[in-house]
Amino acid sequence: MNYNSEKNNKVYVSGEIVSDASFSHEVFGEGFYEFFVKVMRLSGQADILPVTVSERLITGGELEKGKRLSAVGQFRSYNKIENGKSRLMLTVFIRELIEDDPERNPNSILLSGYICKPPVYRTTPFNREIADVLVAVNRAYNKSDYIPCIAWGRNARFVKTLSVGDKIAVSGRIQSREYQKKLSDTEFKTMTAYEVSVSKLAAFDDREDFDLDTEFELYSVPEVSASLDTVV
């Protein structure tokens, strides 16, 4: 399948490989491996993102720990059973390795899909507006990926007006976020959540300024992405 034809789920990441590759699974005799990539933000902070890649792309040691990776792919989800419970897992599925381009935003994503849970709108103690929304993105072979997204400010106010079943498009970046999971009254475990931090979004009934054919390329340029932050 031609990745360029898949307009509803596009990711570009560029960063340093910070873990050794470990075997993940096999499909029709083709092995897939997992590792983590550190992608820097303009603020100096970093997102540590999970990556899945086919053994066909692992040649000559290019994907060893400490090397740099630049690639395009998709943000995918799958369910993993842990302690008898199903947990939603997320990974950047690499479709193609490409040349590093220092002019591109090193972490950009474009999704279009359907809202599959009621959006959750809230404000922080400092009155910052936030909205969580889960987006179902169709994939080949009648599969779907379920991608958690988080919107801020004007975008959050817009999200809270939407309903389950509404089709939306979003662009932004994939972020990693640590949190504490309570195991007992005295035990906590540090967990990592992955989500799309939304910079721009549109409902499909009102998307004149959101062109799926060009949005990913536009958002991949840092100067343009900065200008999208307050646009709905």
Side-chain angles (χ1 to χ4, degrees), residues 104-162:
R104 293 186 75 172
N105 185 324
N107 182 347
S108 56
I109 182 169
L110 170 68
L111 299 172
S112 64
Y114 298 87
I115 295 177
C116 55
K117 289 180 65 176
V120 177
Y121 172 86
R122 63 192 189 280
T123 57
T124 70
F126 298 101
N127 290 321
R128 190 175 190 192
E129 297 171 288
I130 305 174
D132 298 302
V133 58
L134 187 65
V135 180
V137 181
N138 291 335
R139 200 194 325 156
Y141 308 111
N142 295 317
K143 294 184 178 181
S144 295
D145 294 296
Y146 297 91
I147 310 299
C149 302
I150 184 168
W152 312 83
R154 288 181 59 194
N155 286 335
R157 292 196 298 274
F158 181 69
V159 164
K160 75 175 182 178
T161 69
L162 302 177

Side-chain angles (χ1 to χ4, degrees), residues 78-92:
Y78 62 96
N79 290 316
K80 182 178 181 181
I81 303 299
E82 292 185 345
N83 299 320
K85 295 182 179 180
S86 179
R87 182 183 174 200
L88 182 70
M89 308 294 289
L90 296 156
T91 186
V92 177

